[in-house]
Amino acid sequence: MKKDKTIKRDFYLLVVKVFLSTILSSAVTYLCLIYFIFMFAENNTIKPTDYFVKYLDVIEKKIEESAPDILNGELINLDQYSEKIEGEVLDINGNHLYGDQDVAGYKVKVGEVINREIVKGSYVYRFIPIKHDNAIQAVYVLKAPFGFIINNQDRLGIVFIYVVLLISPLIFFVIYLIFYTSKLYKSLFNNIKVLLQAADKISNGDFDFKISGLKRKEFMRIQDSFNTMIDALKEMIESISKIDDERKIMVSSIAHDIRTPLTVIQGQMDLINDLKDIEKFDITPHLDIIRKNCSKMSMLTDNLSLLYKVENVDFLLNIKKVDLGKMLHEKKQEILTMAHYQRSVQILFDVCLSKQYYLLDEAMLMRVLDNILYNSLRFTKSGKIKLEVHDESDGHSSKIYFKCSDTGTGFKEKDTSQLFKAFYQDVQYKDHVGLGLYISKKIVNNFDGQIQAYNNENGGATVEFYIKEQSIICYQLSEKSSF
């Protein structure tokens, strides 16, 4: 079967097949019917349609020979030929003279029917002129059966066969219509059956299959659409399942991340309560610990709220003029304060910028630096944390490069690209939410930049990235939109 065969074409072929098969079968049947009539008529088993015409020919000759006698009322005995033949003598005006009444069945205009033979209904009428002295004196009307059924009405079996053969075209039409329609339906239903089975599998959650083998152009298009839908559903289900797993991890991790600083805060509060009456008790370090853990909780909630913002396809940066040197100086003081009790950790900022102001989103850049620097501070117990910043200009825009290196524990994973996935948990810190680097990458990408992470040869880890300063046009648009 051709692959481009359509259902419409199948229905056209169905009509053609039905009509051609009916015509061919009917032609053969009628030939058989003619042969059947001819063969059985030869041995007088059946009487053909014109069976009684031969008697009319004989009677007509007899009438011509006996014209004077007939005019005197001496009619021919028709029963000697057949009881089914009737006769009536009419004058030239069509009035009854002798014989059977109303053989013609209607008022006859003699001048129009003389020497004619008329077939009406199942009878044949022959109008024979009766002449005397070379003038037509009357008309002899003969009536005889003329039809296969009426001639053989005493043979019901033969009549039944004849009728069946006569209406065979209609019978053949119905038979072929049912036959070819059934074949087409069976073929179409096989396609529908495959689609129904596929629908059942999908409803039962089975997406590991492909529909194949459908025939006809329309069903092949449905097949392609169905397979595309199956792939889309499978991908969607897997995505939903992955999201669900990530949400479970997130909820668990958030609960742990919140519980840890709360536990520390609670412990410090209890300790302060127990030691507050001791002379020369210094509450400052305890408050610093409480403040540090409050910052952890604040950063956690900030990351969660920022997550939905950076994943939005319409996420835009809020560009404005930023004194980057000043911002980095303030950030250094903040990190130094946080590292106050880690006296064995040295904080270094190496900043080399060609200008004071840059067109940036200060809040987003600050979020990236916070995530990177806080991670370094968390996993560096001794040594140093160094942030290097410099810029490059290509004539159209500036690129600002950031490189944060530490002497901490480094990354345990060989594939550090995994660190930038949402809800990723490092093997060394299983109960952490894993949003910081993911959010950082999203923000850096929105700055038309790139970010990467790797382990240092001598220990520790490095995270470096660059961002592009936004164009003057973007900045002007941002300023206008703020009014």
Side-chain angles (χ1 to χ4, degrees):
M1 182 178 292
K2 295 181 179 179
K3 289 186 177 181
D4 60 347
K5 193 173 183 181
T6 63
I7 298 175
K8 182 179 180 181
R9 182 171 176 266
D10 279 339
F11 276 105
Y12 286 156
L13 286 176
L14 171 69
V15 174
V16 173
K17 287 177 181 179
V18 170
F19 274 99
L20 287 180
S21 299
T22 300
I23 292 171
L24 182 61
S25 300
S26 299
V28 173
T29 301
Y30 280 135
L31 288 175
C32 293
L33 177 61
I34 294 171
Y35 179 77
F36 165 77
I37 294 173
F38 178 78
M39 290 297 295
F40 285 93
E42 285 291 320
N43 55 20
N44 293 321
T45 303
I46 61 174
K47 297 174 182 177
T49 301
D50 60 349
Y51 176 77
F52 291 99
V53 172
K54 61 183 179 179
Y55 294 118
L56 297 184
D57 294 338
V58 174
I59 296 171
E60 183 176 357
K61 291 181 181 180
K62 190 69 173 175
I63 291 172
E64 291 174 354
E65 294 172 357
S66 307
D69 296 332
I70 292 173
L71 290 174
N72 292 325
E74 296 180 13
L75 301 180
I76 297 171
N77 183 14
L78 300 178
D79 291 339
Q80 65 178 320
Y81 301 101
S82 175
E83 295 179 353
K84 296 183 178 181
I85 298 176
E86 300 177 63
E88 179 184 12
V89 179
L90 304 175
D91 61 20
I92 59 175
N93 294 317
N95 299 314
H96 174 77
L97 294 177
Y98 313 110
D100 300 316
Q101 288 282 347
D102 297 325
V103 171
Y106 59 94
K107 187 69 174 177
V108 178
K109 294 181 179 179
V110 175
E112 297 177 358
V113 297
I114 287 178
N115 289 324
R116 290 185 61 188
E117 188 173 271
I118 299 174
V119 177
K120 185 178 180 182
S122 298
Y123 293 90
V124 59
Y125 299 86
R126 184 175 290 186
F127 299 87
I128 305 168
I130 303 173
K131 299 179 181 179
H132 183 67
D133 295 333
N134 294 324
I136 298 174
Q137 302 295 325
V139 177
Y140 208 124
V141 182
L142 297 177
K143 177 184 178 183
F146 190 83
F148 187 87
I149 295 176
I150 194 172
N151 290 350
N152 297 279
Q153 58 186 359
D154 54 341
R155 295 178 176 86
L156 295 179
I158 292 175
V159 171
F160 177 75
I161 294 173
Y162 176 80
V163 172
V164 171
L165 294 176
L166 195 64
I167 64 172
S168 60
L170 179 60
I171 297 173
F172 284 131
F173 178 81
V174 174
I175 291 173
Y176 286 126
L177 182 62
I178 293 173
F179 174 72
Y180 288 118
T181 303
S182 298
K183 286 188 66 177
L184 179 58
Y185 171 77
K186 184 178 180 181
S187 177
L188 296 178
F189 183 74
N190 287 335
N191 290 338
I192 295 173
K193 185 178 180 182
V194 172
L195 293 175
L196 289 174
Q197 290 174 346
D200 288 339
K201 286 184 178 180
I202 292 174
S203 65
N204 292 327
D206 181 7
F207 302 99
D208 295 323
F209 71 97
K210 291 282 186 183
I211 300 175
S212 61
L214 296 188
K215 299 176 181 179
R216 290 174 182 81
K217 192 173 182 179
E218 294 87 350
F219 280 104
M220 291 177 69
R221 289 177 61 187
I222 295 174
Q223 174 179 288
D224 294 340
S225 299
F226 228 104
N227 287 333
T228 302
M229 180 185 70
I230 291 170
D231 291 338
L233 287 173
K234 183 179 180 180
E235 185 178 344
M236 183 181 69
I237 294 298
E238 290 175 351
S239 176
I240 291 174
S241 177
K242 182 180 179 181
I243 291 173
D244 186 56
D245 291 340
E246 290 175 347
R247 289 184 187 278
K248 289 178 182 178
I249 294 172
M250 183 182 71
V251 171
S252 175
S253 299
I254 290 173
H256 181 276
D257 270 17
I258 292 177
R259 189 185 304 115
T260 300
L262 283 176
T263 301
V264 173
I265 292 171
Q266 183 64 48
Q268 292 299 314
M269 295 294 291
D270 293 340
L271 188 60
I272 290 172
N273 187 57
D274 293 340
L275 300 177
K276 64 182 179 180
D277 296 329
I278 297 177
E279 187 178 355
K280 296 183 179 180
F281 171 65
D282 187 4
I283 196 174
T284 302
H286 301 285
L287 293 177
D288 287 340
I289 294 174
I290 292 173
R291 188 180 298 105
K292 182 179 179 180
N293 282 274
C294 287
S295 297
K296 286 183 180 179
M297 293 177 62
S298 177
M299 185 174 180
L300 172 63
T301 55
D302 288 347
N303 276 339
L304 287 173
S305 63
L306 188 58
L307 172 65
Y308 297 100
K309 181 178 179 180
V310 299
E311 286 188 331
N312 194 324
V313 293
D314 298 324
F315 170 46
L316 298 175
L317 296 172
N318 182 22
I319 305 302
K320 60 183 180 180
K321 287 178 68 175
V322 177
D323 187 339
L324 187 57
K326 180 181 178 182
M327 187 196 83
L328 292 172
H329 177 72
E330 293 173 352
K331 178 56 63 178
K332 180 180 180 182
Q333 297 305 314
E334 180 184 330
I335 299 299
L336 285 171
T337 302
M338 295 181 66
H340 177 71
Y341 291 100
Q342 293 178 247
R343 300 185 183 278
S344 56
V345 177
Q346 186 180 9
I347 306 298
L348 300 173
F349 274 44
D350 184 4
V351 180
C352 182
L353 299 172
S354 61
K355 57 184 181 179
Q356 181 178 0
Y357 294 102
Y358 295 84
L359 297 177
L360 301 170
D361 186 328
E362 182 178 4
M364 292 296 103
L365 177 56
M366 189 72 74
R367 175 58 60 191
V368 176
L369 292 174
D370 284 347
N371 287 333
I372 294 173
L373 290 170
Y374 289 173
N375 277 342
S376 290
L377 194 60
R378 182 182 300 116
F379 298 113
T380 303
K381 304 303 180 184
S382 62
K384 65 180 180 179
I385 297 173
K386 183 178 181 180
L387 177 67
E388 299 175 70
V389 183
H390 71 279
D391 64 348
E392 291 180 358
S393 177
D394 59 4
H396 298 287
S397 63
S398 297
K399 283 185 179 180
I400 308 171
Y401 292 86
F402 298 83
K403 181 178 179 181
C404 179
S405 303
D406 61 52
T407 57
T409 56
F411 303 115
K412 302 301 180 182
E413 283 72 13
K414 293 181 179 180
D415 184 7
T416 54
S417 63
Q418 298 291 325
L419 300 170
F420 296 98
K421 291 185 177 181
F423 309 110
Y424 173 77
Q425 295 183 334
D426 191 291
V427 293
Q428 64 184 326
Y429 202 66
K430 282 286 187 182
D431 296 315
H432 186 57
V433 179
L435 291 176
L437 290 179
Y438 171 73
I439 291 173
S440 297
K441 183 177 181 180
K442 286 282 188 180
I443 295 173
V444 169
N445 288 345
N446 243 31
F447 271 111
D448 297 324
Q450 292 183 354
I451 187 170
Q452 61 176 328
Y454 54 88
N455 287 315
N456 302 323
E457 291 183 1
N458 300 323
T462 296
V463 177
E464 60 177 302
F465 67 94
Y466 74 84
I467 60 175
K468 290 183 179 180
E469 183 185 13
Q470 302 304 293
S471 67
I472 245 339
I473 296 176
C474 293
Y475 171 59
Q476 290 173 345
L477 289 174
S478 178
E479 282 189 328
K480 289 179 182 179
S481 63
S482 64
F483 286 103

